[in-house]
Amino acid sequence: MLITSDVWSAVTGLKSSVLRINRGNLGVVEDFNKIQFYKGCLNNPHSKVRNFSVGGLKLDERLVAFIVSWILTPRGSNHSNLSEEDLLLIYCIMNKVKINWIHTIKEHMQKSYEVM
């Protein structure tokens, strides 16, 4: 059986919207700057950024980060370090940018399957 957008919509109740986010097209949000956004999410925005860790995030941002890395686009390990894709998803959620979740989750599942 082929899982199409119509199947995803029927099963999950999700609707296709304009913005498709995956590893290959992270530049789709023009005003997104991962370092500036990450620093804005930190309790101490003046700290030096070495990696994108959830450890120094404010509470709301940390909760959204864990929802993204554990539920929406889960991975096997290292949930405390955020990828650029994670940061973009967090940015979109917090700024109410409409995301095509069907595409995003499908791409993530295919990416995860290829790694196995």
Side-chain angles (χ1 to χ4, degrees):
M1 178 177 173
L2 181 62
I3 301 178
T4 63
S5 293
D6 293 335
V7 172
W8 271 106
S9 290
V11 171
T12 63
L14 296 173
K15 295 184 172 132
S16 294
S17 55
V18 217
L19 195 56
R20 293 180 170 211
I21 297 175
N22 60 344
R23 189 176 11 169
N25 69 343
L26 297 177
V28 294
V29 179
E30 292 180 21
D31 59 344
F32 175 70
N33 179 308
K34 65 182 175 185
I35 295 173
Q36 286 179 346
F37 173 69
Y38 179 74
K39 282 187 167 193
C41 293
L42 293 173
N43 284 319
N44 179 7
H46 303 294
S47 62
K48 188 172 183 175
V49 176
R50 290 187 200 100
N51 59 13
F52 300 116
S53 172
V54 298
L57 296 180
K58 298 174 202 167
L59 180 61
D60 290 347
E61 287 80 352
R62 188 182 300 199
L63 289 173
V64 173
F66 279 123
I67 289 169
V68 166
S69 67
W70 280 89
I71 298 170
L72 297 173
T73 55
R75 50 185 170 260
S77 64
N78 203 3
H79 295 87
S80 64
N81 283 335
L82 302 170
S83 68
E84 187 174 354
E85 184 178 354
D86 295 335
L87 287 171
L88 183 56
L89 289 171
I90 294 165
Y91 174 85
C92 290
I93 291 169
M94 299 199 69
N95 291 289
K96 298 180 181 169
V97 175
K98 293 190 179 209
I99 300 170
N100 186 332
W101 285 108
I102 294 170
H103 173 78
T104 302
I105 293 170
K106 183 184 91 166
E107 289 289 317
H108 179 74
M109 289 175 67
Q110 288 175 332
K111 177 176 62 175
S112 299
Y113 180 74
E114 291 170 2
V115 173
M116 295 177 142

